[in-house]
């Protein structure tokens, strides 16, 4: 059924008997044929399909068309293979570039963290050394005061003994 909104155009095939009758009624005798009539008489006539349109008889022309189509398909196959190969190379190049930039970023981040750790280690080392020196100085002062106190106590005992 045709889609809505379109009218179906019906073509009627020309009646073969009428056409044949028209050719036969011409003169009963033989006459010289020219053009398509001559080709029909020689056997190279195109065959008419059921709608009256002429189509060529199967032969080398269809083989040529088949060969042409086969060549076109092979050409397309080669073209598709080349396109896929080019896409594959582009994908590999992009993946390689992406991997390279990712590795560079990771290395850069690792270097930055390493520098930060070194700076932090240096600061804590400086603070620890400063604290250690202060502790060492305080210990020396405490030992000196202890020694002075011990001397003072021993002198105080000696004074008490003599008194």
């Amino acid at each position: 059924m045709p889609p809505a909104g379109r009218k179906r155009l019906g073509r009627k095939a020309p009646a073969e008997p009428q056409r044949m009758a028209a050719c036969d009624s011409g003169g009963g005798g033989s006459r010289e044929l020219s053009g398509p009539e001559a080709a029909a008489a020689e056997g190279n006539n195109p065959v008419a399909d059921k709608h009256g349109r002429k189509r060529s008889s199967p032969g080398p022309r269809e083989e040529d068309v088949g060969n042409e189509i086969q060549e076109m398909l092979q050409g397309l196959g080669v073209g598709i293979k080349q396109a896929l190969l080019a896409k594959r190379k582009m994908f590999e190049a992009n993946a390689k570039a992406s991997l390279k930039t990712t590795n560079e970023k990771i290395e850069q981040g690792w270097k930055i963290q390493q520098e930060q750790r070194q700076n932090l280690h240096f600061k804590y080392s400086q603070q620890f050394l400063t604290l250690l020196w202060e502790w060492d100085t305080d210990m020396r002062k405490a030992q000196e005061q202890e020694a002075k106190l011990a001397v003072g106590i021993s002198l105080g005992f000696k004074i008490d003994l003599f008194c």
Side-chain angles (χ1 to χ4, degrees):
M1 179 176 233
R6 290 187 178 180
K7 291 185 178 180
R8 184 171 179 192
L9 297 176
R11 293 186 186 176
K12 294 184 179 179
E16 289 292 326
Q18 290 175 356
R19 201 166 89 188
M20 295 296 281
C23 289
D24 289 340
S25 66
S30 66
R31 61 183 178 127
E32 289 186 28
L33 302 176
S34 65
E37 294 172 344
E42 292 176 8
N44 294 336
N45 63 332
V47 179
D49 65 3
K50 63 182 177 182
H51 295 292
R53 290 177 283 199
K54 292 183 179 179
R55 59 184 173 96
S56 60
S57 61
R61 186 169 185 145
E62 285 184 6
E63 290 177 11
D64 290 343
V65 171
N67 289 339
E68 287 179 20
I69 291 173
Q70 188 67 26
E71 289 174 5
M72 286 173 46
L73 290 175
Q74 287 174 351
L76 288 175
V78 170
I80 290 171
K81 285 180 183 178
Q82 288 176 348
L84 289 175
L85 183 63
K87 284 185 179 185
R88 181 180 182 184
K89 286 182 180 181
M90 285 296 293
F91 176 77
E92 288 175 356
N94 288 339
K96 194 173 186 180
S98 177
L99 186 62
K100 183 179 177 182
T101 56
T102 302
N103 285 340
E104 288 174 356
K105 287 180 182 181
I106 289 172
E107 286 180 17
Q108 184 181 11
W110 187 79
K111 286 179 182 179
I112 289 172
Q113 285 183 350
Q114 187 177 12
E115 289 174 4
Q116 289 175 347
R117 283 193 304 269
Q118 286 176 347
N119 288 337
L120 190 62
H121 177 72
F122 179 74
K123 287 178 184 178
Y124 284 141
S125 297
Q126 289 294 329
Q127 289 177 0
F128 179 76
L129 285 176
T130 304
L131 186 63
L132 184 64
W133 287 333
E134 288 177 7
W135 178 79
D136 188 41
T137 336
D138 288 344
M139 287 301 292
R140 286 187 186 157
K141 286 180 185 177
Q143 286 175 352
E144 288 175 7
Q145 287 178 358
E146 185 180 333
K148 286 180 185 177
L149 187 60
V151 171
I153 291 177
S154 65
L155 285 177
F157 282 127
K158 289 181 185 178
I159 296 178
D160 282 336
L161 288 174
F162 294 114
C163 296

